[in-house]
Amino acid sequence: MLANSMRAEQWIDLTDYYIKNAGFDGNSGEYWEGTAFGFVNPMSNAEHYQRDFDSYQCLTGLTAGRYRIRMQGFYRAGNSSQDWNHYINGEDEYRQAQLYATSSVDDYWTPICFESSAALDHPLQGTTVTVGNGVTKYIPNTMEAAHSWFEEGYYENEVECEVGSDGCLTIGVRKNGTLSADWMCIDNWRIELWGEVKKITTVYFLPSTQTMVVGDRVR
């Protein structure tokens, strides 16, 4: 048997091999270290309300290379009205919560998106609150509602990083500086490696005159 193949570089999902409890299954913060997550009426997600925090997980055994860390989550910069105003005015300095990935190479981070960045014209399931300054928009107000937004694919965050030869990477969320009534809710962590994938395009069986019947195997 012969096979033709092609090689292509792409992001390879390694979440199941390296991140434990990536989706906060059973409304649990197990395997996450540092500041303990909050769980108030959760829907397999996690939160921090009105406090500074650093919650993380240490990954080991990674191949050195380029990685992408992704998770769904939002940060409400103060109360809902304040968050909306910061968002529409482009005041990114108020995005105090960060998604980060730290390796022996460097510390990589990005601000977590404003909650109002996914304000909708219609509510989803769960308790919501309205924003909009004259135009009615809806954003989540509970972890149950946040789950509905996550299920629809909103609030994606990502940071790219390099892992060194020691194969270690710490991923997490952090904030140093608290606004009154600020809130972060997150879910669905992922880790992806930028690498080469070998794809089989054609399979040839030799000899071409060979006869097979159901149940036969050819090596």
Side-chain angles (χ1 to χ4, degrees):
M1 182 176 68
L2 299 178
N4 286 345
S5 64
M6 60 179 291
R7 296 178 182 272
E9 288 192 319
Q10 65 184 53
W11 290 110
I12 304 167
D13 191 345
L14 301 178
T15 304
D16 291 342
Y17 298 99
Y18 291 106
I19 303 180
K20 297 180 180 179
N21 195 16
F24 304 102
D25 296 335
N27 304 319
S28 166
E30 187 178 10
Y31 301 111
W32 293 93
E33 302 180 62
T35 311
F37 285 111
F39 297 93
V40 179
N41 298 318
M43 288 285 290
S44 291
N45 45 19
E47 69 174 355
H48 284 303
Y49 178 75
Q50 197 173 289
R51 62 177 170 181
D52 292 349
F53 55 82
D54 184 4
S55 304
Y56 57 88
Q57 189 170 142
C58 299
L59 313 182
T60 60
L62 297 168
T63 301
R66 177 184 170 195
Y67 287 81
R68 180 170 68 180
I69 305 302
R70 306 173 68 191
M71 66 89 175
Q72 287 179 278
F74 59 77
Y75 171 63
R76 187 179 69 197
N79 61 39
S80 56
S81 296
Q82 291 168 331
D83 184 80
W84 172 259
N85 288 329
H86 295 322
Y87 168 65
I88 62 172
N89 290 327
E91 297 170 341
D92 283 347
E93 65 270 23
Y94 288 96
R95 292 167 62 189
Q96 297 185 7
Q98 300 174 353
L99 163 66
Y100 73 91
T102 303
S103 71
S104 60
V105 179
D106 207 345
D107 178 53
Y108 307 87
W109 61 273
T110 185
I112 296 173
C113 58
F114 281 119
E115 183 180 20
S116 293
S117 65
L120 303 179
D121 295 330
H122 58 281
L124 300 179
Q125 293 183 356
T127 303
T128 60
V129 63
T130 58
V131 294
N133 295 345
V135 179
T136 301
K137 299 281 188 178
Y138 298 87
I139 58 176
N141 200 41
T142 62
M143 297 183 75
E144 179 186 8
H147 173 77
S148 299
W149 260 256
F150 296 155
E151 286 286 287
E152 293 295 322
Y154 295 106
Y155 298 125
E156 287 284 355
N157 302 265
E158 66 178 56
V159 63
E160 293 187 20
C161 60
E162 291 288 332
V163 171
S165 58
D166 62 354
C168 297
L169 182 68
T170 299
I171 62 172
V173 288
R174 63 192 178 196
K175 182 169 71 72
N176 183 17
T178 301
L179 302 174
S180 178
D182 66 355
W183 176 41
M184 184 200 71
C185 188
I186 63 172
D187 199 2
N188 301 322
W189 288 82
R190 285 149 287 169
I191 181 171
E192 298 164 309
L193 168 67
W194 182 255
E196 188 176 70
V197 177
K198 183 176 181 180
K199 299 180 179 179
I200 303 299
T201 57
T202 309
V203 177
Y204 300 94
F205 290 93
L206 296 177
S208 59
T209 57
Q210 181 170 347
T211 301
M212 296 179 64
V213 297
V214 175
D216 284 352
R217 294 184 180 183
V218 176
R219 293 183 179 271

